[in-house]
Amino acid sequence: MRHAPLAIILTVAVIGFFTLRDYITFDTLREHRETLLAFRDANFGLMVLAFIGIYFAIVAFSLPGAAVASVTGGFLFGLVLGTAFNVTAASLGAITIFLAARWGLGQALAAKIETSDGTLKKLKAGLNENEISVLFLMRLVPAVPFFVANLLPALVGVKFVNFVLTTVLGIIPGAIVFTWIGVGLGEVFDRGDSPDLSLLWEPQIIGPILGLCALAAMPIVIKALRGKKGI
């Protein structure tokens, strides 16, 4: 039974990858945007709950469409509220994966690594010593898949409170970028175009994010230098 939650998540993720990837798209959003806007105007509170619930499910079960959902948050709710709802839903989904993995494989695997004498134990000790910095880096570096950043910490026994803190704060920069793209989505659709997600890699966007990565890595570098100098 301990493995059931993680097994369910992985099963739904595989099924969703093959069944939903052609439906949760920008083309689908383009086709139904007027209906969504009308429903939002008539039932704002219900739309907020529905949006957070759907985005939560996408993240919790690692379904395709997370980028579409993030952009939709900006399209429906604007930059401030859209970012807040995106961060809320994504954080809750990430926490769900973390707890499912921790309850299933995480505790046993962390204990097994702790009793070993090999490289894995040294890596785990290094991670635990720099837990917050490493977790922030996993959130801020765009090359790290979101699912990996949710699952791996649970399997090596990081503290739950550190995971939650770094998740909520670490995904804010990326959430702002995707939400910002969504704010102007109506004009993009009117031109017959699709949103350009490559904006994330523009120097004025990726530069500050890489700066945050360097800031998060600084405690690790300082500890390493002090260790070499015997300080």
Side-chain angles (χ1 to χ4, degrees):
M1 289 300 297
R2 289 189 299 108
H3 301 293
L6 185 59
I8 292 172
I9 287 175
L10 294 176
T11 301
V12 175
V14 173
I15 295 174
F17 176 79
F18 291 103
T19 60
L20 297 178
R21 56 182 176 176
D22 294 330
Y23 294 96
I24 308 178
T25 64
F26 288 116
D27 289 336
T28 302
L29 179 58
R30 188 201 310 268
E31 293 173 7
H32 299 284
R33 63 170 177 156
E34 298 300 335
T35 302
L36 290 171
L37 291 173
F39 186 83
R40 178 205 63 187
D41 294 339
N43 307 275
F44 186 81
L46 186 58
M47 174 59 87
V48 171
L49 293 176
F51 173 78
I52 292 178
I54 293 172
Y55 196 168
F56 163 79
I58 289 174
V59 175
F61 294 102
S62 298
L63 301 174
V68 176
S70 296
V71 173
T72 302
F75 174 66
L76 292 176
F77 306 111
L79 182 59
V80 176
L81 288 179
T83 300
F85 297 152
N86 283 338
V87 170
T88 298
S91 297
L92 291 174
I95 291 170
T96 299
I97 294 179
F98 178 88
L99 292 177
R102 168 67 61 84
W103 190 34
L105 297 174
Q107 291 180 344
L109 183 60
K112 192 171 183 178
I113 294 175
E114 194 65 35
T115 57
S116 68
D117 296 321
T119 304
L120 284 178
K121 184 176 181 179
K122 294 180 180 179
L123 290 174
K124 182 178 182 300
L127 172 61
N128 294 146
E129 186 179 351
N130 304 282
E131 211 167 79
I132 291 181
S133 296
V134 173
L135 291 174
F136 265 129
L137 280 173
M138 293 180 69
R139 290 300 179 196
L140 292 170
V141 175
V144 178
F146 197 65
F147 178 79
V148 173
N150 297 332
L151 184 61
L152 186 60
L155 298 180
V156 295
V158 305
K159 295 179 181 177
F160 176 71
V161 65
N162 288 345
F163 176 83
V164 173
L165 175 66
T166 55
T167 296
V168 174
L169 297 180
I171 66 176
I172 288 177
I176 291 175
V177 174
F178 281 104
T179 308
W180 186 11
I181 294 173
V183 171
L185 194 59
E187 296 178 3
V188 174
F189 283 160
D190 290 337
R191 295 197 304 267
D193 297 331
S194 295
D196 184 12
L197 299 184
S198 65
L199 176 66
L200 179 63
W201 301 100
E202 292 293 325
Q204 67 271 22
I205 301 296
I206 195 64
I209 293 178
L210 292 178
L212 290 173
C213 291
L215 189 63
M218 191 174 297
I220 302 175
V221 175
I222 292 175
K223 286 182 180 180
L225 293 176
R226 284 180 174 176
K228 288 183 178 180
K229 295 179 180 179
I231 299 176

